[in-house]
Structure formats: C-alpha cells, structure tokens
Amino acid sequence: MGRITVIGAGMGALAAAARLAVAGHRVAVYERGETYGGALGRVERDGFAFDTGPGLLPLPAVWRDLFVKTGKEPLEACVELVQVDPSARHLFADGTEVTLPNASRAGAVTALDEALGAGAGDRWGDFLVRAREAWDRTRRPLLEEPLWSDWPVLAEREPYPSVPHKRLLRTRRAATLAEIGAWELRDPRLTALLESHALAYGLDPRVAPASAAVLPYLDHAFGTWYVRGGLRELARAVYERCLARRVEFHFGTEVTGILEKDGRAAGIELADGSVAEADFVVAGVAPDVLDRVRGTAVRGDGEVPPQRGLPSRLSVLLALRGGRPEGTAHRTVVHAEDRERELGQLFGAVTNTGTSSGPATRPTVTVLRPDDPGLVPDAEHEAITLTAAVPAQLDAAQAEFEGYEQHAQHLIDVAERAVPELRERLLWHEVRTPAHLAEATGVAGGGVPAPALAAAGGALLHPANTTALPGLFTVGGWSHPGGGLAHAGMSGALVAGLIVEGPEFRGSQ
C-alpha cells in the first residue's frame, strides 16, 4: 500500500485518515495548529466547558459507519450519544412559542396546531412529506457518491415538488425557501421555523433553492443528538481511532507547498524546508488555502467553483450561577423581531425594500442549554452557549472588530426571553468571533461552508474531491458534499473510496 499525507486535522481529514489507514496505507497528518478537530474546539474556564463549534450532532449514522469500518469498538463504546427530546423550543416574534418533539411528524403536527392554530400542523406535515421526496431524489448523488463530471444536471434540476401557486394570472412553483414559506406554509411563524434551518447553515432563505427543504427534514427524520461531554468528545474519539490505526500526527507543522513529479502529486513541502514524499496527498483545507499552498488553482476546467461570501458565526459562552431547571429544553431558537433587517445585514438586499446598516439588534439566536454535569463545576451552575450568524470578517485588519462585543450583548438581551433572569445569574461571558474561526480553520474571515444542495445553478454545490492534479484530493466542508459535521464525515468516506478503489468508485451501496 502507499504513503499518504493529509493536510489539516479537521473532522473530514480525520475521517479520511482513519479509513485509509485501516485499508493498509501509511498515513501522516500535518496540522499547522496544536490540536485536532478543526472547528470542533473547546473552551474551559473555572470548571466550565463549552463547545466552540457545532453543539448538536445530525445524522450520527455517518460516524457510526466510520467506527464500524475502522475497528471493533462501535461509536457508542467511545462516546455517549444522547437523543435530544424535545428537539427544539421556538420563540416567535409575536410572543407565541412551540416545543417540537424529536423525530415525530405526528407530534410536531399536534404541537403546531395547539400553539399556532388549527391547520398550521397539517401545512408543516405536508411540507415535510414534500421535503422527504426532495431528500430521496438527492441523497445519493449529493451525499453518497463522488461529484461526477455531469454535475450540471444537479445544478439545473429542482428536486423539491412544490405546490402550484397562482400569482399575477400565472401558475408558479416555489423556487426558493422563502417562497415555500410564503406560498405553502402561509404563516410567518412557520416561515420563521423553516428559515431558521437555513440560517443555521449560513444560507439566505430568500435565494436558497427550494431543495434546502431537506435541512429541516433531516432534523425530523433522523433526530437531534448530543454527545455527552460536548461534541469535542467526538473529535477526541475519532482522533484516538486514528492513533489506534497507526496514523502519524505532526502538530504545529505548516505545509507550504505540494510536491509534483511526473505530472502528479508526490508529497508536501513544510515551512522548515523539509519535504514529506507520498503517493497521494489529501488536503483538508479550503480551496483558497490550497491554491496558496500550491501556488496555482487545483480545479479543472468546468468544475464547480468554491462557495464564497458565506456568513460566519458569533458565539457567546455564558457561565451562570444557579442550576439548570428541570425540564429545560436543550435547544431554544429565539426568532428575530425584524426578519428583513436581519437578512439584509447578513446577505444584503435582494429587493427594493432596503436594509439598515449595522448588526440587527434582535437577531435569530440559538440558545443551547445541555443537561450535562461534565460541563459545569457542580449542580449549582449552568453553562449556556448562544450562537447567531454574522457576516464573515473578510478584512483581516478588522478581524478583532470591536462591534462584536456590542453584538454579543444583543445576543444576551435576546436570550433573556429564553432564560429568565439571565443577567442576574451571569458570572462571566466569553465571545468567540469569526477571527477565532479563521484561526482554527485557516479560512479567511472565518466563513462557514454550507451543505451541498441541488438546483440554484450549482451555487451550493462544492468542488469535487478529485482535482486537476492527479494524486491530490480534497476533503472537508469546502469540498463535496459540503459543510456540516455529517457532511465532513461523508467527504472522508468518499476520498478514501476514491484512493482505495480508484476512479471507478461509485460510493456506498
């Protein structure tokens, strides 16, 4: 078997490394930082602990498959998985609220009817049926197979079976997520519920294709999960699985170039001037970073361009006195009071309504309150994480933009709707900005990639895992099949398949 060098130790890169090592390859990972996990970071202070990346785990089957394929111990033997129920509590701008059960269509229909009025639940339930059809149509080509050269087929076809809608004497079908909300859900609160799933991935619902309906469907169909101790524990478990498979790790080691020989990748060059020869190179970094390393673009003619201009994430870590009340929802979404202002600030105006400058003072905020004794010093304290989408900080000179602290205060103000007496209980808080994400991932501005989605002219597809340079592959959120923790694991499986089986690899069966 061959020698493989992996650039970066993000989750997609770790997934590929473990699979390649168990296939018999000699795998070495080179990471410029001092730890593994990429965006799955951790902050510890005064007995409190916080995830600084995703706080919940979708599609745990992706990681279960990794552990089954790379060793005798299953995922549940390495981390404790907890199904989060209820899935989420939603607080809407008009003061109404609803608590949705985990992975239960009937339960969601009942809860929505009771909270929002008769008919609301049925409209949401009917939407989920259509979203399932979009999922069934796109699951394999978007997630389980490499991105083939006929990718424009995915870009052109809208898989969501929208309902005909008469408008201006014409019959139209919803082409965007916002149009689904307006024409099919017909309730601003249901629309907010729908669009919050897009915002969580940094997508503008006004232009996101209708195929983004698969995002809320994933929550409904596969449930919401938490890793006891925080999702950093998942990164630890995958790292330890790599070690068990004899993957070598070189932390604090910057890769500055790709070696080429006879027209193919032959290894990497390091900042200290040394080289590491290899038969294959797997790059778990954003395309722009890889282009800088190689000194030229690695994408071929006609290939999907990398996503650009996506938002980042602002997190506020709260240490509170007083224990977590019994029956508290793990996740609460507090919806923005002024949706158009929030979307305009994040993505710019797409209509003639105009937008105001500056951060939305009342953004959509996700409040995570895990029932996890491992995150607090004792039962008389609580650890809470607030997150909201913010514009990526593309100007490096403003990476520590002072307005983030002010914006963090707005998030705390919003969160008081979900956490009574929040400020009275607050011991201290820390703010994690796009600059922190940029430092952890190497992505300029701290941008967060979205999952791959069909339609929209390919705007939400990602570059293929193969590149124009034979022997060089890409993995992780900025490659097919895109961003998100589950998608990172899928990309690792695809890259391993392409290297082990060659170009004839057609994905999992």
Side-chain angles (χ1 to χ4, degrees):
M1 289 295 183
R3 299 165 298 175
I4 299 177
T5 58
V6 179
I7 306 172
M11 294 301 288
L14 293 180
R19 290 176 180 272
L20 289 166
V22 82
H25 292 282
R26 299 195 303 275
V27 184
V29 176
Y30 295 82
E31 165 60 47
R32 68 181 182 86
E34 298 299 332
T35 189
Y36 52 84
L40 280 187
R42 188 175 178 89
V43 166
E44 297 182 358
R45 174 180 165 187
D46 300 339
F48 292 88
F50 304 87
D51 282 326
T52 59
L56 293 171
L57 179 65
L59 282 174
V62 172
W63 299 99
R64 289 192 179 109
D65 181 71
L66 172 72
F67 277 76
V68 167
K69 299 291 177 56
T70 60
K72 295 180 179 179
E73 286 186 313
L75 176 62
E76 281 82 351
C78 302
V79 298
E80 182 181 353
L81 282 180
V82 180
Q83 193 166 23
V84 175
D85 199 7
S87 174
R89 175 186 177 214
H90 290 265
L91 304 181
F92 299 107
D94 68 351
T96 57
E97 66 176 86
V98 64
T99 299
L100 299 178
N102 200 344
S104 170
R105 178 180 178 273
V109 168
T110 300
L112 288 166
D113 274 343
E114 292 177 351
L116 308 185
D122 284 337
R123 291 196 298 277
W124 183 257
D126 291 344
F127 157 74
L128 287 177
V129 171
R130 293 188 291 273
R132 175 180 179 175
E133 188 169 340
W135 168 257
D136 290 341
R137 291 174 176 176
T138 61
R139 174 182 57 84
R140 185 163 181 81
L142 273 180
L143 303 179
E144 298 177 357
E145 295 180 350
L147 190 66
W148 306 117
S149 58
D150 63 351
W151 64 266
V153 174
L154 285 171
E156 296 161 3
R157 294 180 182 175
E158 173 53 71
Y160 178 77
S162 56
V163 177
H165 171 76
K166 289 187 177 180
R167 188 184 186 199
L168 299 177
L169 303 180
R170 292 188 302 165
T171 298
R172 298 184 57 188
R173 294 179 180 271
T176 67
L177 211 59
E179 289 175 343
I180 291 176
W183 301 350
E184 299 180 11
L185 299 179
R186 304 190 307 279
D187 184 309
R189 297 162 299 183
L190 290 179
T191 297
L193 172 59
L194 170 67
E195 293 182 352
S196 66
H197 291 272
L199 281 177
Y201 286 100
L203 294 173
D204 183 351
R206 301 169 301 178
V207 297
S211 64
V214 300
L215 300 178
Y217 175 75
L218 290 177
D219 258 12
H220 157 73
F222 303 106
T224 304
W225 299 78
Y226 173 70
V227 178
R228 186 74 67 189
L231 262 69
R232 177 66 181 175
E233 285 296 291
L234 177 64
R236 174 198 56 76
V238 177
Y239 170 67
E240 291 180 353
R241 178 55 54 92
C242 287
L243 292 178
R245 301 281 77 82
R246 301 185 184 278
V247 175
E248 297 179 7
F249 284 88
H250 303 269
F251 294 108
T253 305
E254 184 176 2
V255 176
T256 57
I258 306 293
L259 291 178
E260 297 182 31
K261 184 178 181 180
D262 299 329
R264 62 174 289 116
I268 57 175
E269 300 174 353
L270 306 176
D272 64 4
S274 62
V275 300
E277 295 183 350
D279 300 291
F280 299 95
V281 176
V282 177
V285 295
D288 290 351
V289 177
L290 183 56
D291 289 349
R292 291 197 300 270
V293 168
R294 190 176 177 230
T296 185
V298 297
R299 294 172 295 282
D301 293 339
E303 190 171 349
V304 177
Q307 292 187 19
R308 297 181 184 275
L310 295 174
S312 185
R313 181 174 57 240
L314 183 71
S315 299
V316 186
L317 317 178
L318 306 176
L320 274 64
R321 63 173 62 87
R324 179 182 185 272
E326 186 176 353
T328 295
H330 186 120
R331 173 174 57 175
T332 298
V333 181
V334 185
H335 294 269
E337 295 178 352
D338 188 337
R339 169 180 164 274
E340 285 301 323
R341 176 181 171 86
E342 178 180 39
L343 296 181
Q345 168 60 25
L346 283 172
F347 309 105
V350 294
T351 67
N352 294 324
T353 58
T355 59
S356 302
S357 61
T361 57
R362 296 280 180 175
T364 298
V365 177
T366 298
V367 183
L368 296 182
R369 305 179 70 181
D371 182 11
D372 191 342
L375 304 184
V376 291
D378 53 51
E380 299 304 316
H381 294 85
E382 184 177 8
I384 295 179
T385 300
L386 315 179
T387 58
V390 295
Q393 188 59 63
L394 297 179
D395 185 350
Q398 299 179 14
E400 298 297 335
F401 177 49
E402 62 183 10
Y404 284 129
E405 176 56 41
Q406 180 182 4
H407 197 36
Q409 294 300 322
H410 293 321
L411 267 62
I412 295 174
D413 290 340
V414 171
E416 285 194 291
R417 286 188 58 198
V419 188
E421 301 179 344
L422 173 58
R423 288 194 179 274
E424 288 79 0
R425 296 176 57 196
L426 186 60
L427 294 171
W428 50 262
H429 75 276
E430 287 194 14
V431 181
R432 308 296 289 186
T433 73
H436 292 102
L437 268 175
E439 176 62 26
T441 64
V443 177
V448 178
L453 294 172
L460 289 170
L461 296 178
H462 291 258
N465 306 108
T466 54
T467 71
L469 179 65
L472 175 62
F473 298 82
T474 62
V475 72
W478 295 97
S479 302
H480 179 70
L485 193 52
H487 294 69
M490 295 173 191
S491 74
L494 292 175
V495 167
L498 287 166
I499 291 176
V500 173
E501 298 187 26
E504 66 277 9
F505 176 65
R506 291 297 181 266
S508 60
Q509 300 298 323

